[in-house]
Amino acid sequence: MLPKPVESASQTTVSPAEALPWDAPERRPEEALHIDVDGFEGPLDLLLHLARHQRVDLARISILALAEQYLDFIDQARKVRLELAADYLVMAAWLAFLKSRLLLPKPAKDDGPSGEELAAQLAFRLKRLEAMREAAARLVNRNRLGRDVFARGAPEEIEAERGSKFQASLYDLLIAYASQRQRLAVTTVTIASRAVWSLADARAILTRMVGTIEEWTALDQFLVRYLSRPEERASAMASAFAASLELVREGHLDIRQAEPFAPIYLRRGPKAGAQPNG
Amino acid sequence: MADIVPLKPGQKGTSTGLDAEIDEAARIAEALIFASAEPVDEALIVRKLPQGINVRVVMDRLMHHYADRGVNLVRVGDAWAFRTAADLAFLIRDDKTEIRKLSRAGLEVLAIIAYHQPVTRAEIEEIRGVATSKGTLDVLLESGWVRMRGRRRSPGRPVTYGTTNGFLDHFGLAELGDLPGVEELKGAGLLSGRVPANFSFPMPGEGEELAEDEDPITQMDLEELGLLAPRGEEN
Amino acid sequence: MADIVPLKPGQKGTSTGLDAEIDEAARIAEALIFASAEPVDEALIVRKLPQGINVRVVMDRLMHHYADRGVNLVRVGDAWAFRTAADLAFLIRDDKTEIRKLSRAGLEVLAIIAYHQPVTRAEIEEIRGVATSKGTLDVLLESGWVRMRGRRRSPGRPVTYGTTNGFLDHFGLAELGDLPGVEELKGAGLLSGRVPANFSFPMPGEGEELAEDEDPITQMDLEELGLLAPRGEEN
């Protein structure tokens, strides 16, 4: 079966710098490369785009060549260390599976679909999507009411078809119900969204800061800028501590604590000069 | 006047009996439909016509009468409407004329709903290969072109979507069978969820080599395609 | 067909030269006047017609064409408009009863009755969190979409409300079970994703039968509710 895309499908990747709430560090040149999947509506759309670029009729397309092109594309993206939305990677994994099915002899006692069946399924989906694209284009170019053809400008009221004098659509009704129920649900149960520091966030910030400090310095002081908001405090402390342990293990950081619950001190570790693998 | 209905000599203006009745019925239908900006249900027209009159005969006569005029009679599902002739659009259009713009995704979803209805959201997503982003179906429902039709009798009883008469009216379709290319698409099995039995595509082996008119995709191409920003460029 | 313009033999459908030009001009004028919200100034029509066409000849021809039809072309000062033929005016509403839109509160209460039926007024108020004015329920009963179903077997024997077949008909639902659930509304973008995990819609009970704790409404009840004048009383 083909992978089912996940909800955030059309989301494009942001570069790591943009993901962090503080000042962007200087970008290395290759980080400036970014994959513009903005214009694509998911992996199938990208595949269709690549297929068209084979400059042949979709009916004559080589699924294997297409799979390889897609995998190449993903490889290149990885080489420049770019993140891709998950469903692009899921598609890549599926295409790799398809490729192996097409190239390797089918193992005995395997009731899964054959490579040919899988390839046919993908070709069918591409063709169907393209057909819908064309249908949409033909539809939008028809003579449209209000642009190409016009209704009576000064209608006179005729007797209504139905006895009811009231008018409402199902859409109106559902909108009213959904928003009313939601409004009430939100006022009774208030779940404030919490600012949470991820381990990666904490690690990135610590990495940038420890390089500059020679002397033992309390962890709180590293974080003083970020601890002003009480709701972030616990999360920031916890993540920063966990991240600091990781950095100690890698030798970027030394850490010291006199006794339980005493302040935690940090300083530059022996390998602090090396570029941490963040 | 380009009157399509052939008149026998001596009949003109003196039509009697059934013919006169149909003419009178046509006046009533004409007045009803002309008065309304929205399509008028055929059922309402039938109720307003004298008993025993075949509404289709009446509508045929009216449609012929208006075929070459500046205003045409068009069928919209089970309803009828007068609309200006499309070739005169440039004379009538003014600066205020504005129609709803749909995003690319919105248009695609609309087409899928039109051609595949009744269709569930999961089926739409399967066809597009991507989750429907928030707001897409919402906008279509709000536009009045798409409606929830009912629920599929399958696990989870998902809601099915379809188009409305407003959709037919807006895109100038008398019925769904008039959707452009619908017969060909059906014939090719492209409106079904399953790979049709006769579906053919090249087998691997022949496909491994690039065709004569094909080039391998290179890094350059990806940049060219706008998939990768050119190397070394800021931002 | 009551075609007024006399056609010379052999001329029909093959009008050429000036005659064809006038026909084409008549199409333009016809479409312009049809699509306009206001009577159209003759000066505007002149501007839209091909150069050198005598507007009076065109309008005369159009007026003749429509003279015996269900719709007539009339002069309003220096402007032109289409009007329903006077003898067919009975088709047009003169009482100007407007189609009423349901208020927001009305829609909410209607939706709650649809999803939660059988439901009492107190329960509706609990769901909405505000008191429901009597007028709102009255309007819904008047719309024919809501009915009193019965009385709850609980203290005070409150009236239970439900929807009618007219409701299903108007909203294009085959059955109450076709009303979409939470997941469907989320998917369609009508409900935001940020609702509590235990947030759910009730599955509407199937229409006609009374629930176990419901009694039918009797003649006595109707009198008590003030919907029927008590028996035997004058007036």
Side-chain angles (χ1 to χ4, degrees), chain C residues 39-227:
Chain C
V40 180
D41 283 346
E42 197 168 288
L44 175 70
I45 299 173
V46 170
R47 280 209 303 281
K48 299 277 186 174
L49 294 188
Q51 293 243 321
I53 292 276
N54 183 334
V55 68
R56 279 307 161 106
V57 173
V58 173
M59 298 316 292
D60 267 2
R61 185 171 289 197
L62 260 188
M63 204 154 72
H64 270 113
H65 178 81
Y66 279 97
D68 283 344
R69 302 206 60 91
V71 172
N72 304 145
L73 183 64
V74 296
R75 251 194 101 127
V76 187
D78 285 338
W80 294 89
F82 281 116
R83 294 275 184 265
T84 306
D87 64 316
L88 298 176
F90 69 93
L91 295 169
I92 305 302
R93 295 163 81 111
D94 45 5
D95 57 350
K96 284 276 165 206
T97 323
E98 270 179 44
I99 307 269
R100 284 159 70 187
K101 278 215 150 199
L102 276 188
S103 67
R104 181 170 179 88
L107 277 172
E108 267 178 38
V109 172
L110 176 61
I112 289 169
I113 292 174
Y115 273 97
H116 296 256
Q117 62 188 300
V119 62
T120 68
R121 183 158 158 196
E123 287 160 355
I124 295 170
E125 295 185 347
E126 195 190 313
I127 294 165
R128 290 188 70 214
V130 290
T132 302
S133 77
K134 186 166 183 304
T136 306
L137 269 171
D138 284 346
V139 163
L140 290 175
L141 288 166
E142 191 197 333
S143 73
W145 294 335
V146 161
R147 68 192 171 98
M148 296 182 180
R149 285 172 52 115
R151 304 191 84 168
R152 178 75 47 81
R153 244 177 259 130
S154 69
R157 301 191 62 235
V159 170
T160 52
Y161 294 90
T163 52
T164 63
N165 280 337
F167 167 84
L168 294 178
D169 194 36
H170 181 91
F171 291 98
L173 299 162
E175 52 185 30
L176 287 171
D178 284 352
L179 283 169
V182 170
E183 286 310 313
E184 299 290 348
L185 289 189
K186 263 195 218 164
L190 302 192
L191 196 60
S192 102
R194 295 185 314 148
V195 290
N198 59 355
F199 186 78
S200 70
F201 288 177
M203 194 65 187
E206 239 351 285
E208 294 304 309
E209 271 106 85
L210 290 169
E212 277 182 18
D213 59 351
E214 254 180 320
D215 288 329
I217 290 199
T218 64
Q219 180 79 14
M220 272 296 275
D221 290 329
L222 292 175
E223 286 174 15
E224 192 188 318
L225 294 164
L227 292 172

Side-chain angles (χ1 to χ4, degrees), chain A residues 69-147:
Chain A
Q69 283 168 5
Y70 185 95
L71 292 171
D72 267 0
F73 168 71
I74 297 292
D75 273 355
Q76 287 185 34
R78 285 214 169 127
K79 244 177 248 158
V80 290
R81 294 196 289 132
L82 294 170
E83 292 175 45
L84 276 169
D87 49 347
Y88 287 84
L89 300 177
V90 173
M91 177 61 90
W94 188 84
L95 288 174
F97 172 69
L98 167 66
K99 203 175 131 185
S100 72
R101 280 273 152 135
L102 286 172
L103 296 179
L104 303 175
K106 194 174 174 175
K109 276 203 211 161
D110 184 353
D111 344 310
S114 70
E116 285 72 21
E117 281 162 351
L118 294 173
Q121 202 185 346
L122 179 62
F124 171 70
R125 284 188 73 187
L126 287 172
K127 207 166 171 186
R128 189 174 57 177
L129 181 61
E130 186 174 61
M132 283 300 107
R133 292 269 159 82
E134 282 163 5
R138 287 167 79 176
L139 202 56
V140 83
N141 288 323
R142 287 183 65 83
N143 288 326
R144 292 171 67 179
L145 185 63
R147 184 186 71 183

Side-chain angles (χ1 to χ4, degrees), chain A residues 2 4-10 18 27 29 32-37 39-46 49-50 53-56 58-65 68-69 72-73 76-77 80 82 87 102-103 116-117 119-121 123-125 127-129 131-133 135-140 142-152 154-162 170-171 174-175, chain B residues 32 34-37 40-41 43-44 47-48 82-86 89 92-93 97 99-100 104-105 107-108 110-112 115-116 122 125-132 134 138 141-142 145 148 167 169-173 178-181 185 189-196 199-204 207-208 210-211 213-215 217-219 221-222 224-231 233-235:
Chain A
L2 282 175
K4 188 83 205 310
V6 293
E7 180 67 40
S8 65
S10 63
E18 282 160 347
R27 293 184 187 188
L33 261 177
H34 68 281
I35 295 193
D36 180 16
V37 287
F40 289 95
E41 299 264 341
L44 205 58
D45 189 25
L46 174 57
H49 188 86
L50 291 173
H53 201 71
Q54 288 196 352
R55 298 193 190 99
V56 291
L58 206 54
R60 286 177 48 214
I61 194 168
S62 152
I63 289 294
L64 190 59
E68 277 167 359
Q69 283 168 5
D72 267 0
F73 168 71
Q76 287 185 34
V80 290
L82 294 170
D87 49 347
L102 286 172
L103 296 179
E116 285 72 21
E117 281 162 351
Q121 202 185 346
F124 171 70
R125 284 188 73 187
K127 207 166 171 186
R128 189 174 57 177
L129 181 61
M132 283 300 107
R133 292 269 159 82
R138 287 167 79 176
L139 202 56
V140 83
R142 287 183 65 83
N143 288 326
R144 292 171 67 179
L145 185 63
R147 184 186 71 183
D148 310 298
V149 302
F150 297 85
R152 176 89 190 264
E156 299 163 79
E157 192 133 352
I158 57 172
E159 250 178 82
E161 156 81 27
R162 291 191 182 84
L170 185 59
Y171 176 75
L174 296 175
I175 275 279
Chain B
L32 270 176
F34 215 97
S36 173
V40 177
D41 283 352
L44 174 68
R47 280 212 303 282
K48 298 287 178 181
F82 279 114
R83 300 289 179 240
T84 58
I92 300 166
R93 210 178 279 156
T97 313
I99 55 169
R100 182 180 283 274
R104 183 177 145 205
L107 186 61
E108 210 171 286
L110 177 63
I112 291 170
Y115 284 81
H116 291 260
E125 297 184 346
E126 165 17 70
I127 292 168
R128 298 186 64 226
V130 72
T132 310
K134 293 252 176 296
D138 193 5
L141 286 165
E142 197 192 350
W145 294 337
M148 294 178 172
F167 167 82
D169 193 19
H170 184 87
F171 291 98
L173 300 159
D178 289 349
L179 281 168
L185 289 174
L190 290 173
L191 298 186
S192 94
R194 246 176 272 140
V195 185
F199 187 75
S200 68
F201 71 102
M203 276 296 130
E208 258 174 274
L210 290 168
D213 55 354
E214 271 178 300
D215 293 322
I217 293 229
T218 62
Q219 174 80 24
D221 288 329
L222 291 173
E224 202 177 282
L225 287 166
L227 291 172
L228 287 176
R231 249 172 220 281
E233 196 179 281
E234 286 304 308
N235 177 29

Side-chain angles (χ1 to χ4, degrees), chain A residues 192-204:
Chain A
S193 65
R194 285 176 55 195
V196 175
W197 275 40
S198 73
L199 203 57
D201 290 353
R203 189 190 156 101

